[in-house]
Amino acid sequence: AAPQYRPDFDYNKEVVQKAERYGMDFALSLVKYRGFGGKTDHWHWALDSFTTIAGLAAVTDHIKLIGSVGLQAHHPAVAARHAAMIQQISHGRFWLNIVTGWQKSEYASLGLWRGDEHYASRYDYADEYIAICRELWETGESSFKGEYFQLDGAQLKPRPQEPIKVVCAASSERGRRFTA
């Protein structure tokens, strides 16, 4: 079911505004850094999730907007800041989708693949990642010390006025525990 078009913001805006008019509950933006190739060029063309959702937040009123973050590509303090700003633009309609980085070729192409051992512990990494985001969103500061991240007085202001919901489409047992 590869798309037969190359996505752009105007097309996404049209689709999401139409979805909002029809009463759909949410729109989710994927995070893709490399497609699968082949004659259909499956997922090779992809918009940046955070900037796309921020733009859609400004031109919609009711639909929930779920932006995706590739954890290996964005530091949690930076992702928390992006999410807080989009939450402000959307007036509380932003949710964050966690992508732990399952496609090795996608992250390796950017020099971001942390090795096969990371794949096995990616939800431990995600636990720390989300702990940092939540601490920043709730208190505006984090000096988190963990196995993967060490922060020293990271700050986030303005903080989101409403809690940011976090979702994850995990299918493994460990991934489902993380999501729960």
Side-chain angles (χ1 to χ4, degrees):
Q4 301 304 309
Y5 56 86
R6 292 189 173 146
D8 62 22
F9 179 77
D10 288 333
Y11 178 76
N12 278 265
K13 180 175 83 169
E14 177 185 336
V15 168
V16 173
Q17 287 177 328
K18 189 177 287 188
E20 183 173 62
R21 283 194 307 273
Y22 289 148
M24 298 200 68
D25 292 326
F26 69 90
L28 182 141
S29 171
L30 294 172
V31 60
K32 294 302 297 173
Y33 302 111
R34 180 186 177 106
F36 294 113
K39 68 180 185 176
T40 64
D41 222 8
H42 188 68
W43 282 349
H44 201 68
W45 291 79
L47 303 180
D48 174 71
S49 186
F50 277 141
T51 55
T52 299
I53 289 295
L56 292 172
V59 298
T60 57
D61 297 312
H62 307 293
I63 195 166
K64 290 173 187 67
L65 300 167
I66 304 173
S68 299
V69 61
L71 301 192
Q72 294 180 57
H74 293 273
H75 189 278
V78 174
R81 183 171 298 278
H82 289 311
M85 188 68 236
I86 299 169
Q87 185 71 322
Q88 185 179 83
I89 295 167
S90 71
H91 302 285
R93 296 178 291 127
F94 178 73
W95 294 14
L96 183 63
N97 177 41
I98 300 303
V99 180
T100 60
W102 61 273
Q103 187 185 6
K104 180 179 179 177
S105 65
E106 185 173 25
Y107 291 91
S109 72
L110 300 173
L112 296 173
W113 184 250
R114 300 178 192 275
D116 293 341
E117 62 281 350
H118 172 74
Y119 183 81
S121 64
R122 69 192 187 276
Y123 288 104
D124 298 330
Y125 184 88
D127 283 335
E128 288 190 12
Y129 196 103
I130 289 303
I132 292 166
C133 288
R134 286 194 170 131
E135 186 174 31
L136 287 166
W137 294 334
E138 292 168 10
T139 71
E141 188 166 325
S142 178
S143 289
F144 185 92
K145 304 290 187 239
E147 182 178 343
Y148 303 100
F149 299 101
Q150 292 76 42
L151 280 67
D152 185 18
Q155 295 186 345
L156 174 65
K157 293 183 183 164
R159 295 185 350 239
Q161 295 300 304
E162 297 186 34
I164 296 174
K165 294 183 179 170
V166 176
V167 298
C168 179
S171 60
S172 68
E173 181 182 329
R174 175 61 177 101
R176 288 192 307 270
R177 281 197 322 264
F178 167 78
T179 301

